[in-house]
Amino acid sequence: MAGKKERPVATPSRAAYERELLRLQTELVKLQEWVRAENARLVVVFEGRDAAGKGGTIKRVSEHLNPRVARTVALPKPTERERTQWYFQRYAEHLPAAGEIVLFDRSWYNRAGVEHVMGFCTKEEHQRFLHQCPIFERMLVEDGILLRKYWFSVSDAVQEQRFRRRLEDPTRRWKLSPMDLESITRWEAYSRAKDEMLVHTDIAEAPWFVVESDSKRRARLNMMAHLLGSVPYHEVSPPVLELPARPPSSGYVRPPRDLQTYVPDHAAGLTE
């Protein structure tokens, strides 16, 4: 059956996962500093089915990075004005300048997936995208942008499990939309769309890298390790900083507490 995994997926223990995650995140900080020092431009595209684990991976990638250097771009549906623009135009304005990293939580590949499958674009617009996308990406790479594209692959069974957990968890219920549920009934349509997309856009200058994501822990570690291994970064020596001595008091007196409004001490009422 389409989407079924033939081999079991082993998940690292929590301790092993957290230990390796911290090591990789430390290396990502070094990568960030290299990007800044070298005035490099790095774009990382995260694509895949709904509930494939893209969002969680992006959070772990960016967790310790400087938001002024590394930013996540997750665009809403286009406005009426944007619908009249060249398709790639609204994405191009979010590309990095020198010394920046941009993580696309879904990207221009919306046209090859949800827009195509759900009928939000015409057949002509879809075919034009498949023709123009490799040209667009070759232009980015030719201009010096480091472009990495990751497709998160999840089985139909695991996707359904994650959807059910979202339904039951009030903190994650917002992640589930009617559009997500459509991906269950249109599983094969999305599969065909993905296959056609890869045929046209898996190019030598900007290849696709598939991340098996039935195990979120493995997917996160594998993706982060691959990204680090694909960029020729090196550790940049940080500036030497020393804490200055605090100067003696010049007579400042803090105002009485009752002149300011403090938030109630909610935590004081908690028990162990």
Side-chain angles (χ1 to χ4, degrees), residues 186-203:
R186 298 175 186 256
W187 178 273
E188 291 191 359
Y190 273 106
S191 296
R192 294 189 183 95
K194 181 260 296 183
D195 292 343
E196 185 176 11
M197 177 196 77
L198 291 178
V199 167
H200 288 83
T201 63
D202 187 18
I203 58 177

Side-chain angles (χ1 to χ4, degrees), residues 50 118 163 177-187 190:
D50 297 314
M118 299 301 297
F163 282 165
S177 69
M179 196 71 66
D180 295 329
L181 301 182
E182 284 277 359
S183 65
I184 294 178
T185 58
R186 298 175 186 256
W187 178 273
Y190 273 106

Side-chain angles (χ1 to χ4, degrees), residues 43-234:
V43 171
V44 186
V45 169
F46 293 80
E47 289 287 347
R49 295 182 186 272
D50 297 314
K54 301 179 296 299
T57 302
I58 291 172
K59 287 181 181 178
R60 274 62 181 190
V61 168
S62 61
E63 185 173 6
H64 299 292
L65 300 184
N66 183 344
R68 293 181 176 84
V69 176
R71 68 180 188 275
T72 299
V73 174
L75 298 184
K77 65 180 183 179
T79 64
E80 290 299 324
R81 180 176 182 274
E82 287 172 333
R83 288 191 181 96
T84 68
Q85 296 174 342
W86 176 49
Y87 177 71
F88 294 94
Q89 187 169 335
R90 76 184 190 122
Y91 295 100
E93 66 177 277
H94 294 280
L95 293 172
E100 294 181 348
I101 301 171
V102 173
L103 312 175
F104 276 100
D105 184 355
R106 295 198 180 277
S107 64
W108 46 88
Y109 282 99
N110 279 336
R111 176 137 295 179
V114 63
E115 289 190 17
H116 173 51
V117 173
M118 299 301 297
F120 297 154
C121 68
T122 66
K123 292 181 179 179
E124 292 75 19
E125 288 171 332
H126 176 242
Q127 289 302 309
R128 188 182 308 126
F129 170 84
L130 295 178
H131 169 71
Q132 291 185 348
C133 184
I135 300 173
F136 173 67
E137 292 181 350
R138 286 189 181 101
M139 291 172 64
L140 300 183
V141 175
E142 184 179 295
D143 202 59
I145 289 178
L146 300 170
L147 176 59
R148 301 294 182 268
K149 304 184 310 193
Y150 293 98
W151 177 268
F152 284 71
S153 177
V154 65
S155 66
D156 50 0
V158 171
Q159 183 193 55
E160 186 171 343
Q161 291 171 9
R162 291 175 183 174
F163 282 165
R164 292 189 185 282
R165 286 199 293 269
R166 289 180 181 183
L167 278 172
E168 298 165 359
D169 186 344
T171 66
R172 293 191 291 177
R173 180 63 182 79
W174 63 269
K175 291 185 176 183
L176 197 59
S177 69
M179 196 71 66
D180 295 329
L181 301 182
E182 284 277 359
S183 65
I184 294 178
T185 58
R186 298 175 186 256
W187 178 273
E188 291 191 359
Y190 273 106
S191 296
R192 294 189 183 95
K194 181 260 296 183
D195 292 343
E196 185 176 11
M197 177 196 77
L198 291 178
V199 167
H200 288 83
T201 63
D202 187 18
I203 58 177
E205 297 87 346
W208 275 106
F209 299 102
V210 178
V211 181
E212 292 283 2
S213 61
D214 274 6
S215 165
K216 290 184 178 181
R217 294 179 192 172
R218 285 184 59 185
R220 293 165 184 168
L221 299 181
N222 291 342
M223 178 269 152
M224 293 164 69
H226 181 274
L227 174 62
L228 289 164
S230 74
V231 179
Y233 74 99
H234 57 79

